[in-house]
Amino acid sequence: MARIICIDYGGKRTGLAVTDPMQIIATSLTTVDTKELFPFLKNYFQQEQVELILVGEPKNWDESDTHATPLVNAFVKRLAKEFPAMPVKMVDERYTSKMASQAMVEMGMKKKDRQKKGNVDQIAAAIMLQEYMRSLG
């Protein structure tokens, strides 16, 4: 089997999480500067077999778009252009940053580490990926 990668896309930073090759466990991968994201993904896809890209879809609680929605939509279009053979699915990212912050507290992470936004981004990506895998049942 191949991995699934999940992307918590942001204007400055992007958090990434992946499954293991058996698609049992979701783990944080890294956070990259968004301007370095496509070179990072090209390199990653050359080294690892990936069958699906999940992208966090920013929506408000009432299903309306957020200020980040157009940015993410443009990113998804570019993804399809750069990696035409790779399927892309959007997943709900509501509350994942809040859940990630809470998870870091529960893990006993030091306050200094919790304040690094990149840590929140990659844990949020892992939460989205776990939720997706859980939804498959």
Side-chain angles (χ1 to χ4, degrees), residues 45-129:
F45 294 159
Q46 287 171 352
Q47 294 177 24
E48 298 289 343
Q49 200 176 355
V50 176
E51 71 177 36
L52 175 64
I53 301 171
L54 299 177
V55 179
E57 183 176 26
K59 292 282 185 186
N60 291 310
W61 62 271
D62 65 355
E63 297 289 324
S64 63
D65 289 351
T66 72
H67 67 284
T69 304
L71 200 70
V72 172
N73 289 341
F75 166 69
V76 169
K77 279 185 184 157
R78 184 171 172 204
L79 258 182
K81 194 172 160 187
E82 298 267 344
F83 307 107
M86 186 72 66
V88 177
K89 278 189 181 177
M90 303 293 282
V91 291
D92 189 351
E93 73 166 30
R94 282 178 286 198
Y95 311 115
T96 55
S97 292
K98 198 170 282 189
M99 290 165 68
S101 296
Q102 187 175 342
M104 291 189 308
V105 169
E106 290 170 6
M107 288 188 293
M109 206 180 253
K110 291 185 175 108
K111 187 174 183 175
K112 187 177 79 175
D113 292 331
R114 291 195 315 257
Q115 289 172 334
K116 292 180 184 164
K117 182 73 172 88
N119 288 338
V120 174
D121 296 335
Q122 59 184 287
I123 293 171
I127 290 170
M128 282 185 271
L129 187 50

Side-chain angles (χ1 to χ4, degrees), residues 20 27 35 75 132:
D20 62 297
T27 55
K35 60 182 174 287
F75 166 69
Y132 175 78

